[in-house]
Every structure is written in C-alpha cells, then in structure tokens.
Amino acid sequence: MFEGEFTGGCQCGAVRFKATKLGRPSICHCRMCQKQFGSFFGAFITAYDGDLHFPRHEPNWFRSSNVAERGFCHRCGTPLAYRHTGGIELAIGTLDDPQLFEPQVQVNHHKRLPWIDTLLDKPTFTSTGMEHLHASVVSLQHPDHDTKVWPPAEEQ
C-alpha cells in the first residue's frame, strides 16, 4: 500500500487526478489492455474511490466488456484507467512519478505476446542523428506536476 499524495493525468492536461492511497502495481497482458494502450500490455495500480478525485475533468469511459470500462481523456485520448466491478486501476504511466510504482505481479500472463519474455534482450540502438532529433524536441504536453491552469494563457 502506498499512502501520500499522488497526482497524475493525461498528456494534454485536460484530465488530472489526485489519490491519497494506492494499492498493488501490476501489468496485464490481456488483449483488451493491449488494445487500450496500443502496446504489449497495460501497467496499472489500484486506486480507491474514496481516495481518488479528478480536480479538472473526469475521464470519458468506454465500455470494453460486460464487466469493465476504460477511461481516457476526451481531448487527447490518453488511456487513464480501467474501472471494473471490484474497483478502479490507474495507468501507471499517467502518474507524475511513475518510477515509484514497479509492477509486482503480471495478470493474464498466459495471454502475453509470444516474444514478450525476451523483449528486453534485444539490442539497443542509438545514433547521432537520433540524439540530435530528440534534443530538438519541444514538448507541448502537460508537465509532470499540477498546474492551476492548462494550457498556459498564451497557448489557449
């Protein structure tokens, strides 16, 4: 159990959340999580209704099955949450400090992609061109901390 003040939100800043208690971090390999994130798995941490609120806007919800809804930002599409009959899970990557929440378990492991166990054994690649390109990037996404107003007045 993690206790404190934890904040996060979507890429554009339209949806922000605060939680005071978080539970077990996990990754899920099911096909619905793969599709929600457009990735190999979804990474989540348990949140609790009484300890979670959305000070700006709440996510929009897509009913992905008869027992679950997937929360996302109405403006930028960031996947934010998974709500099911037992509670709600927040996407770890949407927290302002995701490095604090190392997944402890893998859910639906039997549904994982066949090469996932060797994924991090692949060689890494970088080049001077890539480094220059990445150094030139100016991020327009919301910063990893709460702001009173977003976007800044000059960008509205």
Side-chain angles (χ1 to χ4, degrees):
M1 180 77 62
F2 300 89
E3 293 189 27
E5 184 171 290
F6 307 102
T7 58
C10 67
Q11 192 170 20
C12 75
V15 177
R16 292 289 294 165
F17 60 81
K18 289 185 181 191
T20 55
K21 192 185 318 179
L22 297 173
R24 181 195 72 187
S26 63
I27 60 173
C28 180
H29 294 278
C30 81
R31 187 66 182 131
M32 280 192 259
C33 286
Q34 291 171 2
K35 291 191 81 149
Q36 179 185 14
F37 287 89
S39 192
F40 311 137
F41 50 78
F44 295 102
I45 190 163
T46 304
Y48 304 94
D49 283 335
D51 297 298
L52 173 66
H53 73 279
F54 296 90
R56 274 201 196 142
H57 296 90
E58 293 210 14
N60 282 29
W61 296 93
F62 167 70
R63 179 158 296 283
S64 59
S65 73
N66 62 323
V67 297
E69 296 177 300
R70 308 291 174 144
F72 61 96
C73 173
H74 68 282
R75 187 169 160 217
C76 68
T78 299
L80 294 159
Y82 165 72
R83 186 165 61 190
H84 52 93
T85 54
I88 189 167
E89 307 281 325
L90 296 172
I92 291 175
T94 64
L95 287 151
D96 291 339
D97 295 304
Q99 73 280 0
L100 300 176
F101 308 104
E102 178 182 353
Q104 301 300 305
V105 296
Q106 297 182 61
V107 180
N108 294 307
H109 191 254
H110 65 289
K111 301 279 189 174
R112 73 191 181 283
L113 295 171
W115 39 260
I116 200 77
D117 293 336
T118 60
L119 179 62
L120 297 180
D121 296 337
K122 306 297 185 265
T124 59
F125 175 79
T126 190
S127 69
T128 304
M130 278 179 55
E131 290 174 15
H132 288 298
L133 174 65
H134 291 153
S136 71
V137 171
V138 176
S139 176
L140 302 178
Q141 72 183 18
H142 190 275
D144 285 337
H145 57 81
D146 281 333
T147 58
K148 289 183 187 211
V149 177
W150 192 261
E154 65 271 7
E155 295 178 19
Q156 291 184 7

